Amino acid sequence: MNRHPSALFLTEHLRSKIGSARKLCVAFSGGLDSTVLLAGLAQLRDNQIPDLRLRALHVHHGLSPFADGWAIHCHDFCQLRNIGLSVIKVQVNARDGGIEAAARAARYQAFSTQLEEGEVLLTAQHLNDQCETFLLALKRGSGPAGLSAMSANSMGLGYRLMRPLLDLSRDQLEEYADQHQLTWIEDDSNCDARFDRNFLRLDILPSLYARWPHFAQSTARSASLCAEQESLLDELLSESLTALTDERGSLSVEGMGSFSAARRSALLRRWLAGREAKMPSREQLQRIWDEVALSREDAQAQLQLGSFVVRRYRQRLYLLPQYSSLKDQVISWDPADKLLLPDALGVLSVSAIRDAGDESCVIRQPRAGETITVRFHASGMIEKVGRDRARQAKKLWSELGVPPWQRDRIPLVYYNEQLIAAPGWFITRQALAENNEGQWRLLWSGCSIK
């Protein structure tokens, strides 16, 4: 490893790391690391790759009184090098896992909304950052996935993320910045040892580096070995996970029953990771199995994981968002207009009947004195067309195979207090036309519940 990274060394290093990528966007805080990264990429563009498209994003967290000045510094730095810069202001909720985690989440969410199609996000974490990440994962009691630390090339939130400086130490970046007379921001919060990462950086790691100069390289090697083990497990378990998962993404409880606890946990983790859920602790994994997967069929057990919920229905596990309750909503509707349903549930409309052979969701038009409302909850007895007798709402939904969490999210059309139809699912006997009454077809579009 080159101790003194010249301009040529850094640009060649960056060139090898970015490969064929030509649309690059740098997460630019204005600190040392991202300053070196952006300056090196600008040199690469100007001297070697003229078709390289380069721009920067600066996230304004509003947490420091100096934040406005930092944005100005970043603007001036980019303007001098002919690099486009966007400054994005975000709100940080410190209750969301602490201020460090909340700021990071807000930052990456901002990146995901700002990146252009085909653009690669580059961040400037380096070798010492990797060491800190490894030790923080060790402190949390993480397994191989957590100890893999940061990947040099990954996908996140739908975009490609590269960290081309992970092989270089902070000392090397400082050498480069000094040689090229770069100026950068020193974030005042970096001196606050109340934050775990700063505590390691300020109070612990200097002693470790002094005794073991290659400690950062050793931890990076351990992280790489953990990543290799995880990759191998992914490969070995991929076939089983595919066989256990259906087209809706639900996981077979029965199929998991014969596996060892270790294999079951590994499969559950990969199932959750594939759906971008927060990784559970060992205790949470055990609770998913004991309290949800093995619960009684009528228990409707669930376990919250971040913004998701794990639930079971008919011997399958589902990972679902936390739905807002629509049970008490009553919406008046004039079918002359389309109805935009709440909570992104699509659109209700009616259309003329053009094909006499297609009777799907054909209902009579309202009679004099009948008003139309849309609701999301039915109780009591329902006289479904096609059945010889009425059934309780709960039993009818069960017969139709509708999971409990979807039953209060299906729009139900009422004439006065009489249930007429659940579009796409059934119509009631009261929806049938009599004596040449006018009819129309009820349509529910833009929703994937069924």
Side-chain angles (χ1 to χ4, degrees):
M1 184 179 292
N2 192 325
R3 175 64 182 164
H4 302 286
S6 65
L8 180 61
F9 167 77
L10 183 64
T11 53
E12 287 302 317
H13 176 87
L14 292 174
R15 181 167 191 157
S16 69
K17 294 298 181 181
I18 66 171
S20 61
R22 291 297 179 267
K23 290 178 66 176
L24 307 182
C25 182
V26 174
F28 185 40
S29 68
L32 168 70
D33 316 334
S34 59
T35 295
V36 170
L37 175 59
L38 197 54
L41 288 170
Q43 286 186 319
L44 186 62
R45 176 201 61 190
D46 296 342
N47 300 327
Q48 297 187 39
I49 310 179
D51 64 335
L52 186 67
R53 292 177 55 185
L54 180 62
R55 70 185 188 102
L57 293 176
H58 175 78
V59 177
H60 189 307
H61 298 91
L63 297 174
S64 169
F66 307 109
D68 290 338
W70 296 342
I72 293 171
H73 168 88
C74 291
H75 173 270
D76 294 343
F77 183 93
C78 290
Q79 188 176 49
L80 185 64
R81 291 162 178 80
N82 193 27
I83 300 170
L85 173 72
S86 298
V87 177
I88 310 135
K89 292 189 175 183
V90 298
Q91 297 291 326
V92 178
N93 183 359
R95 292 174 295 179
D96 186 15
I99 193 125
E100 281 183 294
R104 183 182 184 279
R107 192 160 55 247
Y108 279 91
Q109 183 59 39
F111 296 150
S112 69
T113 62
Q114 294 292 321
L115 286 173
E116 300 172 1
E117 184 176 355
E119 200 169 36
V120 180
L121 178 67
L122 276 66
T123 59
Q125 291 95 345
H126 50 70
L127 184 67
N128 302 87
D129 293 325
Q130 184 77 310
C131 179
E132 294 161 10
T133 300
F134 182 90
L135 292 178
L136 288 170
L138 194 65
K139 184 265 297 183
R140 291 192 298 268
S142 299
L147 294 174
S148 298
M150 294 179 286
S151 171
N153 202 332
S154 63
M155 293 294 295
L157 295 174
Y159 57 82
R160 185 180 175 192
L161 171 63
M162 298 176 65
R163 299 181 176 96
L165 301 182
L166 278 183
D167 297 334
L168 305 181
S169 69
R170 180 179 172 86
D171 285 347
Q172 287 179 292
L173 302 187
E174 286 182 345
E175 291 268 5
Y176 178 90
D178 288 343
Q179 288 174 11
H180 294 83
Q181 299 181 330
L182 300 178
T183 59
W184 62 88
I185 293 165
E186 291 288 358
D187 188 339
D188 51 310
S189 68
N190 289 339
C191 297
D192 189 345
R194 291 177 300 174
F195 298 128
D196 290 345
R197 188 175 289 273
N198 290 345
F199 169 69
L200 285 176
R201 186 177 299 160
L202 299 172
D203 296 349
I204 303 300
L205 284 169
S207 297
L208 295 178
Y209 293 150
R211 185 174 182 89
W212 300 301
H214 298 291
F215 184 78
Q217 288 89 338
S218 297
T219 55
R221 187 163 56 252
S222 293
S224 178
L225 291 170
C226 287
E228 285 183 16
Q229 293 298 311
E230 279 297 289
S231 180
L232 178 60
L233 272 177
D234 285 341
E235 186 177 331
L236 293 174
L237 294 174
S238 174
E239 187 174 342
S240 293
L241 187 59
T242 299
L244 292 166
T245 308
D246 68 7
E247 67 279 359
R248 294 174 296 179
S250 70
L251 191 67
S252 171
V253 172
E254 188 176 17
M256 299 266 285
S258 61
F259 294 155
S260 67
R263 184 173 182 179
R264 194 165 56 232
S265 294
L267 283 165
L268 278 171
R269 279 198 176 94
R270 279 153 182 79
W271 176 66
L272 294 168
R275 284 147 188 80
E276 298 186 354
K278 178 182 179 182
M279 279 299 93
S281 64
R282 177 180 291 183
E283 178 189 3
Q284 286 175 314
L285 271 180
Q286 194 62 46
R287 289 182 62 195
I288 288 173
W289 186 250
D290 292 342
E291 300 175 17
V292 183
L294 300 183
S295 65
R296 298 190 322 273
E297 186 63 39
D298 60 350
Q300 295 191 31
Q302 57 183 288
L303 183 75
Q304 183 174 337
L305 283 179
S307 59
F308 291 95
V309 175
V310 181
R311 301 187 65 159
R312 172 194 158 191
Y313 181 64
R314 293 187 175 177
Q315 290 296 311
R316 302 198 73 86
L317 290 177
Y318 292 80
L319 184 69
L320 306 163
Q322 294 190 69
Y323 295 127
S324 56
S325 176
L326 302 175
K327 185 175 181 179
D328 298 324
Q329 288 210 29
V330 179
I331 305 171
S332 297
W333 180 32
D334 178 358
D337 299 314
K338 294 181 179 181
L339 177 64
L340 182 64
L341 297 170
D343 221 19
L345 282 176
V347 175
L348 274 187
S349 61
V350 296
S351 70
I353 302 171
R354 296 183 175 85
D355 181 358
D358 182 6
E359 298 183 355
S360 59
C361 218
V362 172
I363 62 175
R364 66 176 175 83
Q365 296 181 16
R367 297 164 185 155
E370 288 183 328
T371 59
I372 306 177
T373 56
V374 176
R375 311 178 190 189
F376 297 88
H377 178 72
S379 58
M381 305 297 286
I382 297 176
E383 296 180 277
K384 176 184 177 293
V385 168
R387 288 193 55 87
D388 58 354
R389 58 190 176 89
R391 295 284 280 169
Q392 288 183 352
K394 181 178 179 180
K395 291 184 178 179
L396 179 58
W397 286 131
S398 181
E399 286 180 6
L400 293 170
V402 180
W405 57 87
Q406 289 185 357
R407 295 173 189 176
D408 292 337
R409 297 180 63 77
I410 295 173
L412 306 174
V413 175
Y414 278 75
Y415 290 171
N416 290 344
E417 296 303 312
Q418 177 61 57
L419 175 60
I420 296 297
W425 294 98
F426 63 83
I427 64 172
T428 67
R429 185 180 60 79
Q430 292 78 14
L432 299 177
E434 299 177 358
N435 302 321
N436 297 318
E437 288 181 307
Q439 294 177 293
W440 52 31
R441 178 170 289 108
L442 183 61
L443 304 172
W444 180 22
S445 59
C447 184
S448 59
I449 276 185
K450 196 169 182 181

